[in-house]
Amino acid sequence: MRPHEAQEKFVRAAGEIKEPEILSVEPRSESIALTWQRRPGKIDGFIILLGLSLYKLQEFKRLKDIEGFQFSDILLNLINGKEYFIGIIAYKDNGYSELLTVWKATPNIASRIKPAKKISGKEVSEYKDPARPAETLAPVPGAQAPASIEAGNLNIVCASCMADVVFSETERVFICQGCNTKYVQRVTDGKYIPLTILTNGICICCNPRRPLIKRRGDAYKKCSLSGEEYADLNGGVIKISELDYGLCRCCLPHQPLKLNHSGQVVCSRLTDKLYVKENNRYIMRAPEAPASLVDEIDKALGGGSAVMLPNGILTANSPGGTGRNRRR
C-alpha cells in the first residue's frame, strides 16, 4: 500500500496552512527530541504525529498558543528498541497542513542509538482528521489508565524477554505473554514496573491496580493514585475504610481487628487481645477467667484446700494438710 493511500482517512488540504519543516530528529534513551520551524501562514498550533507504522500515525501531542519561529519538544517515555515514525503538521480551526515528510527513529540506550532516517514524503498525503491521542504507543506521565483496557491493545513489551505484555481483566495487572512477569503502571511517570520489585505491594481499589506507597512518617500504606489507606492482613492488604471492626490499639502500627473462632473480636496479630464495643468503638479488655476456673477456686477456698495469703497469692496445701504450700 502506498503511503498516501494509507493516510487518506487522516488528511485534509488546508490552503495557506503549510507543513512545518523538521530540522532535526534525535533518538535518545526512552525518548526522541524534535526541532522544527514554522512556514509562513496563519496557524493555531502544531500536532506531533507518532506511530509504529508509517500507515498508522496517531496524534501524540498537540501544541497551541504558539509564539516564535523555531520550536522543539521531547517525546518522553517511549520504548527502547521500538521503531517509531514521526511527523508534524500545522493546524488552524478545522484545517490541517499536508504531511510531506516522515522520520523514522528508534530510542535506545546511549551505546545503541542509531541516527534517525528521513523518509521522502511526496507520497504522503494530507490529513482529513487527526487520529486519537496515541496513549497506546507509550505511557504518558500523569496519564490515568482507563477503567477497562482491552487485552492485547497496549503495544508494550516485557523488559526481560521482549514478549508482548497484555492487560489481564481478572488480575487487573499487565502480564507478559512470554515469561508471565506481572507489571503495574507507576503513577508518577507512567512507567511499567514489575511487581517483584515493589516493597509495598499493589492496591485493590483501582483498575488497573497501582503501586502502594508508604512515605516516611506515614502510619499506613496508600494507593499512589487514589490515596486510599491500606493495612496488612493475612499476607495481603485490605482497605482501612472497609474494615468491619476497625483497628486495634495494642500494636504499632495498628492492626485490623477480626473475629476469632469463638466469635470474639481480637487483634489480627495478637489474637489474645480481646476487644469489646463501647460507644460505637472497639475497646481492648483484659481476658476474663473462665467461669469453671472461678468455681474451682471458690470450692478450694471453701474446703480449706487453698489459702489466699495477704499479698494476694493463692496457695494450695499438699494432701493431708502437711508439706509445703505451692503457688498456683
Side-chain angles (χ1 to χ4, degrees):
M1 180 183 292
R2 298 174 62 145
H4 73 277
E5 295 174 330
Q7 299 296 340
E8 279 182 352
K9 61 181 179 179
F10 299 114
V11 181
R12 178 168 50 193
E16 77 279 9
I17 306 175
K18 303 296 189 298
E19 179 193 24
E21 180 185 0
I22 297 180
L23 302 177
S24 69
V25 178
E26 180 187 352
R28 301 176 182 178
S29 180
E30 298 185 347
S31 64
I32 296 174
L34 303 177
T35 303
W36 71 94
Q37 65 185 19
R38 64 185 297 174
R39 297 184 189 273
K42 296 180 180 180
I43 61 173
D44 293 331
F46 304 105
I47 299 173
I48 299 176
L49 304 167
L50 188 69
L52 298 175
S53 165
L54 178 63
Y55 312 112
K56 295 182 180 179
L57 297 182
Q58 295 179 309
E59 179 180 334
F60 185 78
K61 184 181 291 188
R62 183 175 292 234
L63 307 175
K64 58 184 179 178
D65 300 325
I66 59 172
E67 294 182 1
F69 179 72
Q70 186 166 310
F71 308 88
S72 62
D73 203 346
I74 299 179
L75 313 185
L76 297 172
N77 298 297
L78 304 182
I79 302 170
N80 283 338
K82 280 280 188 181
E83 190 174 70
Y84 290 92
F85 293 83
I86 306 108
I88 302 178
I89 58 175
Y91 73 93
K92 179 174 176 56
D93 298 326
N94 294 322
Y96 304 92
S97 69
E98 294 181 333
L99 178 64
L100 300 177
T101 306
V102 177
W103 288 71
K104 180 170 64 175
T106 305
N108 219 319
I109 58 177
S111 61
R112 299 173 63 182
I113 286 178
K114 60 181 180 180
K117 181 181 178 181
K118 182 178 179 180
I119 302 173
S120 179
K122 290 187 178 180
E123 299 285 337
V124 182
S125 189
E126 46 192 40
Y127 275 78
K128 291 182 179 177
D129 294 297
R132 292 178 302 170
E135 64 272 347
T136 59
L137 296 175
V140 181
Q144 297 184 14
S148 179
I149 296 180
E150 183 179 351
N153 193 33
L154 292 171
N155 288 326
I156 60 175
V157 296
C158 177
S160 299
C161 69
M162 299 303 291
D164 290 336
V165 175
V166 301
F167 180 70
S168 168
E169 289 283 357
T170 54
E171 297 191 47
R172 293 188 292 155
V173 298
F174 304 90
I175 302 178
C176 171
Q177 299 301 284
C179 62
N180 291 320
T181 298
K182 297 180 180 180
Y183 293 85
V184 290
Q185 191 177 24
R186 195 161 55 190
V187 174
T188 54
D189 57 10
K191 290 186 177 181
Y192 292 88
I193 308 299
L195 266 61
T196 52
I197 71 171
L198 296 176
T199 57
N200 294 308
I202 57 178
C203 77
I204 56 176
C205 56
C206 299
N207 185 22
R209 300 168 73 175
R210 298 297 185 132
L212 292 176
I213 57 175
K214 187 177 182 182
R215 297 185 177 91
R216 182 177 298 179
D218 287 350
Y220 305 105
K221 300 174 182 178
K222 293 182 180 179
C223 172
S224 53
L225 181 62
S226 70
E228 184 85 40
E229 289 188 325
Y230 285 82
D232 295 311
L233 179 64
N234 298 331
V237 293
I238 186 170
K239 290 192 288 185
I240 292 177
S241 62
E242 293 184 354
L243 291 174
D244 293 328
Y245 308 104
L247 297 166
C248 77
R249 291 295 180 267
C250 53
C251 303
L252 284 176
H254 303 317
Q255 301 298 308
L257 296 174
K258 68 175 185 178
L259 286 179
N260 62 13
H261 295 300
S262 301
Q264 298 171 308
V265 178
V266 296
C267 171
S268 56
R269 188 169 73 89
L270 303 176
T271 55
D272 61 329
K273 302 298 184 181
L274 177 66
Y275 284 75
V276 295
K277 191 172 185 180
E278 291 186 2
N279 298 324
N280 293 322
R281 296 180 56 197
Y282 283 90
I283 308 298
M284 185 174 64
R285 287 290 174 84
E288 300 177 358
S292 58
L293 178 59
V294 175
D295 292 341
E296 290 180 11
I297 293 174
D298 288 341
K299 187 182 295 184
L301 290 172
S305 59
V307 177
M308 183 68 74
L309 300 181
N311 59 6
I313 298 175
L314 181 67
T315 66
N317 294 325
S318 59
T322 60
R324 294 188 307 167
N325 292 333
R326 57 187 178 87
R327 292 184 180 180
R328 290 243 176 182

